Amino acid sequence: MHNLEERLRGADRVTVPDLWDRIESTAARAPRPSGPRRLVTIVLSLAVAAAGTVGLVAAFLAGGGPASLPANGVFVYADRGPQPPEIPFDNVDLFAFDPATGERTNLTNTPTVAESSPVWSPDGSNLGYERAIAEGAGAALQVTYDLVVANADGSDPRVIRACGDDGCNEYDLAWSPDGARLAWTAEKRVDGGFVIALEAYDLQKAETTEICDSRTCGYAGQLAWSPDGTSIAFSEAGSWRLPGFLLQTGPIRLADLTTGEVKAITPERPSCGPTSEGCVFDSAPVWSPDGSSIAFIRTTSSGQPGATTDVMVMDADGSNERTLSECVSNDQCLQGPLAWSPDGSQIALFGRYRPEALTLVRPATGEATQVPLPSDVGESAYTLLWSPDGGQVAFLGGPARASNLYVVEVGTGEVREAAETIARESAVAWLPDGAIDVSRESSAPPATQTAEPKTPVLTGTIVFSSSKGSNQEDEGV
């Protein structure tokens, strides 16, 4: 880590973006039909629609669900591996967990190499992580750090940035939907100080491109690629890494990788301090699978007693903003993180109320479904993700944030504990079937883990309610 005094001096040399200039609001209107249709056009359209419906039903019945959604594969995550006594860091390996059999496989099994903070690409093809390697012994022991990409099972690791012996300062790693590019934010020296830069690495070209930095686009964090891979939405969450006490405030921004343009798509508001009221922070953007909408969390009076969070959704250009889930508590109401279902029909989130529950809300109608969670599970729940086929939602949680893995059946509301202490870190992904081969002999789990598959131990009753809205890992707020 950089010397704190040096970083504070550096912060003084960096110009913070002025958030006072303007508040923008735009509204998109769909074009209306130009005129009446001829009867023959109507008949042909109905015939085409009917044929398409028949084809869709046939595909659904034949495959058991939408043809575009893959079957569920294994969970992949980082956890503690073999620990030689001479290694000066916690050895972290990459694991796979098969929910059908309960087997865990150590994918890397490297006692002198730690694979930390892994992120898997949405298509299940690639993996990115920070690697620490210990070489030598005693006084000659050296540790070097690299940013690495590899196949989804950890094979064929390639260094894309050598970080030396001071650790990597890349954060918020996020894959493009096709697994061809990896984006991150990184600390960089500029004129004797430090800035936070948003960068993207192209695997085919083996090139890193800087998109913007904190002097022009704020303190980028919580990166979210658009489904077509042309844009990245992000918040000012990178400000959490600055030294000292700072209330977060800022909009959701959108970086167009084709044109290089970066713009705010939620209102830019005045900055605020510890005594300010009404500080507004928009965070945790997530795209709808079709790329038409972005959901996010809006926190009012960030960091203050009585802070409230609302779940918002807007069109991809920032227009048509509306509230999906309104905070109704008077005491630090927290909602999030957010996870959009693969078919785009629902958004899953945690509502930090009493009693705790998993909420499934339909953006098209505002209809909300509550799946109750036991208090020792719900109050510590985090890392929310959908199954590839869209039929289940998984999360980590448990007593004292034990990182137990829970799976919710969306159709019935059944909640079951799938595994105990499955992850040392919150980085967990649910890969499509066939993304990696775990047919090798599974490794013996650590003493704190349970290798046998867990039977369902929790059940919940689905309670329906309507959203009050009319018209956030994990760190959603």
Side-chain angles (χ1 to χ4, degrees), residues 59-60 65-70:
F60 186 91
S68 60
L69 296 181

Side-chain angles (χ1 to χ4, degrees), residues 183 198-200 209-213 216-217 232 255-257 260-262:
L198 172 58
E199 300 177 332
T209 302
E210 181 174 310
I211 300 169
C212 61
D213 65 38
T216 57
C217 62
I232 299 176
D256 188 321
L257 304 187
E261 179 187 12
V262 181

Side-chain angles (χ1 to χ4, degrees), residues 9 19 79 81 106 176 290 310 407 450 474:
R9 288 199 305 268
L19 302 178
D79 205 348
N106 189 328
S176 62
D290 65 1
D310 295 329
V407 175
T450 300
D474 302 359

Side-chain angles (χ1 to χ4, degrees), residues 282-308:
D282 294 337
S283 64
V286 291
W287 291 80
S288 63
D290 65 1
S292 65
S293 303
I294 298 175
F296 63 97
I297 292 174
R298 173 163 292 164
T299 305
T300 305
S301 297
S302 175
Q304 297 279 351
T308 62

Side-chain angles (χ1 to χ4, degrees), residues 127-204:
L127 163 70
Y129 60 91
E130 181 177 340
R131 183 178 68 180
I133 300 178
E135 297 178 305
L141 180 66
Q142 291 185 330
V143 179
T144 57
Y145 299 87
D146 303 299
L147 192 62
V148 173
V149 296
N151 297 332
D153 62 357
S155 62
D156 190 23
R158 292 95 69 194
V159 175
I160 62 174
R161 173 169 290 186
C163 306
D165 58 2
D166 193 32
C168 296
N169 291 314
E170 284 79 23
Y171 310 94
D172 306 294
L173 272 68
W175 283 100
S176 62
D178 61 0
R181 287 173 291 176
L182 181 64
W184 60 74
T185 60
E187 296 179 3
K188 297 186 66 174
R189 289 181 178 272
V190 175
D191 299 328
F194 292 94
V195 297
I196 296 178
L198 172 58
E199 300 177 332
Y201 179 85
D202 188 305
L203 271 67
Q204 185 175 6

